[in-house]
């Protein structure tokens, strides 16, 4: 059993639907004694959104599937708070535990009441901003890990794991249960379940293939000091010191001509999954996808860009 605990406040509708749970305190093991009184004192009814704010205190087994929405939110906090790494916590069925919520400048609100809420805010002389309609909120509304830069907070979901030194540029996206394990530049998409090693760069518009929507089953890992070029994509794992040429998408079934000391061998890319020191490129004359041993080590990321303190 991997126990974890959390204390915070939940937003609950009149029908008992939990819209979100913010955990101010959380960690592994058993919860410290006491400490719930201040959360109970914060309980209230929010007349503007017509929701209740309730104190929450949980202890969970992270090896089990989430039991309810507050349990799921605690797991997402543990990931974004760097208490646990992606793929080390059970998130089976998490979508079914979370409500689809309108994320507004007044706080999370039921979608079916959003027009009434907009009227109440306008009537009071304000303006309601709806940042999104989704099951997952922005990470930065709940957790801001140290040593990171995030150019567009709406593109990083709660449950993303960003190591210190990570920079997520405007077009970068990081899903839940995914992220970086060291200093990294994220200018493309890190799909759910994908982890990126220290010193690696996911280039502008690049994509890592996830498994949430079906069709693929391999959970992708990107090793250390790798470069996935602009508008490229990867559906296999990369070892350390790998480069994928800009614009090239390498899928598990892609036929790759592997250049070695004994000549050229054509294999499916899945057979190279996890291999280190390879350059994947497309031959400009024949169009064939090739894999060659790296002739020079990539000098890596600009350290000055990722000193994010």
């Amino acid at each position: 059993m991997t126990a974890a605990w959390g204390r915070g406040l939940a937003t609950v509708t009149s029908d008992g639907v939990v819209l979100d749970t913010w955990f101010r305190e959380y960690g592994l093991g058993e919860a410290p004694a006491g400490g719930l009184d201040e959360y109970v004192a914060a309980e209230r009814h929010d007349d503007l959104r017509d929701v209740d704010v309730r104190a929450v205190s949980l202890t969970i087994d992270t090896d089990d599937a989430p039991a309810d929405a507050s349990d799921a939110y605690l797991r997402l906090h543990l990931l974004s708070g760097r208490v646990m790494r992606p793929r080390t916590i059970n998130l089976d069925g998490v979508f079914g535990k979370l409500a689809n919520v309108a994320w507004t400048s007044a706080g999370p609100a039921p979608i079916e009441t959003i027009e009434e809420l907009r009227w109440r805010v306008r009537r009071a002389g304000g303006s309601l901003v709806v940042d999104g309609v989704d099951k997952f909120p922005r990470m930065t509304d709940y957790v801001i890990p140290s040593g990171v830069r995030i150019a567009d907070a709406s593109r990083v979901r709660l449950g993303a794991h960003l190591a210190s030194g990570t920079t997520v540029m405007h077009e970068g996206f990081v899903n839940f249960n995914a992220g970086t394990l060291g200093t990294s530049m994220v200018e493309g998409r890190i799909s759910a379940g994908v982890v990126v090693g220290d010193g690696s760069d996911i280039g502008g518009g690049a994509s890592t293939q996830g498994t949430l929507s079906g069709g693929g089953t391999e959970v992708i890992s990107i090793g250390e000091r790798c470069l996935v070029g602009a508008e490229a994509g990867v559906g296999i794992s990369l070892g350390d010191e790998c480069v994928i040429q800009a614009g090239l998408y390498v899928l598990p079934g892609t036929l790759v001509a592997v250049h070695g000391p004994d000549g050229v061998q054509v294999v499916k890319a899945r057979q190279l999954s996890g291999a280190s020191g390879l350059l994947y490129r497309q031959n400009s004359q024949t169009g064939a996808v090739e894999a060659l041993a790296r002739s020079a080590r990539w000098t890596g990321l600009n350290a000055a860009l990722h000193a994010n303190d």
Side-chain angles (χ1 to χ4, degrees):
M1 174 179 177
T2 303
W5 63 276
R7 295 186 184 121
L9 298 172
T11 306
V12 185
T13 70
S14 58
D15 295 331
V17 176
V18 175
L19 300 181
D20 82 329
T21 306
W22 168 68
F23 287 95
R24 181 183 172 211
E25 301 174 279
Y26 49 89
L28 296 180
E30 296 298 324
L36 187 61
D37 291 349
E38 60 181 328
Y39 297 100
V40 174
E43 291 186 328
R44 67 190 186 279
H45 181 77
D46 186 313
D47 292 326
L48 185 64
R49 292 177 292 153
D50 192 23
V51 297
D52 292 318
V53 176
R54 298 178 184 171
V56 174
S57 179
L58 288 182
T59 299
I60 64 171
D61 182 349
T62 61
D63 293 333
D64 292 339
D68 54 32
S70 290
D71 182 334
Y73 267 91
L74 177 53
R75 293 164 197 259
L76 299 178
H77 279 71
L78 292 169
L79 288 164
S80 291
R82 300 179 187 150
V83 176
M84 299 186 74
R85 285 190 171 194
R87 307 194 320 219
T88 66
I89 188 169
N90 191 334
L91 290 170
D92 292 348
V94 67
F95 279 93
K97 302 301 181 184
L98 301 178
N100 200 23
V101 176
W103 304 102
T104 82
S105 52
I111 297 171
E112 61 273 15
T113 66
I114 194 66
E115 295 309 324
E116 177 62 23
L117 175 59
R118 195 190 310 275
W119 162 241
R120 292 173 184 170
V121 172
R122 289 275 182 174
R123 186 174 56 191
S127 178
L128 186 73
V129 177
V130 181
D131 295 309
V133 178
D134 194 11
K135 292 196 171 192
F136 289 78
R138 297 182 298 193
M139 180 187 75
T140 54
D141 290 341
Y142 295 78
V143 179
I144 300 181
S146 61
V148 304
R149 286 164 50 210
I150 303 171
D152 184 349
S154 66
R155 299 183 65 83
V156 180
R157 272 175 155 179
L158 181 63
H161 180 285
L162 301 184
S164 181
T166 297
T167 299
V168 183
M169 295 302 292
H170 294 79
E171 295 305 314
F173 172 82
V174 187
N175 213 332
F176 73 98
N177 199 29
T180 61
L181 304 180
T183 299
S184 295
M185 172 68 84
V186 183
E187 302 173 274
R189 176 184 178 86
I190 300 179
S191 299
V194 175
V195 293
V196 177
D198 183 47
S200 292
D201 185 334
I202 308 300
S207 180
T208 54
Q209 182 175 302
T211 59
L212 284 180
S213 297
T217 58
E218 179 170 352
V219 180
I220 304 300
S221 297
I222 306 297
E224 297 185 355
R225 299 175 302 282
C226 290
L227 172 62
V228 181
E231 304 298 336
V234 57
I236 62 172
S237 291
L238 302 180
D240 299 335
E241 302 282 356
C242 287
V243 172
I244 295 186
Q245 180 189 60
L248 175 63
Y249 209 124
V250 180
L251 292 167
T254 301
L255 294 178
V256 181
V258 183
H259 292 249
D262 299 324
V264 179
Q265 181 184 11
V266 178
V267 301
K268 289 187 176 182
R270 64 170 56 92
Q271 295 177 244
L272 301 173
S273 185
S276 296
L278 293 178
L279 165 64
Y280 294 86
R281 71 181 188 186
Q282 188 166 33
N283 189 296
S284 60
Q285 293 182 314
T286 67
V289 178
E290 302 174 330
L292 297 85
R294 296 282 308 284
S295 59
R297 181 174 175 174
W298 182 42
T299 56
L301 301 170
N302 184 338
L305 293 179
H306 303 280
N308 295 337
D309 295 334

